[in-house]
Amino acid sequence: MNLELPGPTTRLRCGACGNLTRFDVTRTRRTTEFWHFDLAGEHVVEESELRAEDVESITCRWCGRRDAVELVDRNVVATGVQDRQSGG
């Protein structure tokens, strides 16, 4: 499996059980943040910049498989769901 997160035109699907909605995603992110401290010492993160991201694993929450999770076109999945609901 290619460990990529879905984008605007893709989504995740488990090829083993058909799950489209529940996945455990483990990733490591490297960021640079601007922290603003008040006089009491409390901080607020005012800016955050993503420097790097590594997706370590994507696991289906329903069946627990990692090897069957795939990226699919959103339109193909939506069309398939409509066809099944209408009996076609």
Side-chain angles (χ1 to χ4, degrees), residues 5-21:
L5 296 176
T9 61
T10 58
R11 70 182 300 169
L12 294 173
R13 175 177 66 191
C14 179
C17 70
N19 172 29
L20 294 169
T21 60

Side-chain angles (χ1 to χ4, degrees), residues 5-75:
L5 296 176
T9 61
T10 58
R11 70 182 300 169
L12 294 173
R13 175 177 66 191
C14 179
C17 70
N19 172 29
L20 294 169
T21 60
R22 305 282 191 270
F23 299 91
D24 291 317
V25 178
T26 303
R27 60 187 173 165
T28 302
R29 302 177 93 194
R30 187 170 160 259
T31 61
T32 299
E33 299 175 334
F34 170 65
W35 289 23
H36 182 171
F37 287 85
D38 64 19
L39 294 177
E42 299 295 323
H43 78 279
V44 174
V45 177
E46 291 189 357
E47 294 176 15
S48 182
E49 179 184 345
L50 180 62
R51 297 290 185 133
E53 181 174 52
D54 180 38
V55 180
E56 297 173 24
S57 68
I58 303 174
T59 306
C60 176
R61 181 53 81 98
W62 288 359
C63 71
R65 300 259 316 255
R66 289 183 182 183
D67 61 334
V69 178
E70 57 192 0
L71 277 179
V72 294
D73 187 300
R74 284 183 192 219
N75 295 327

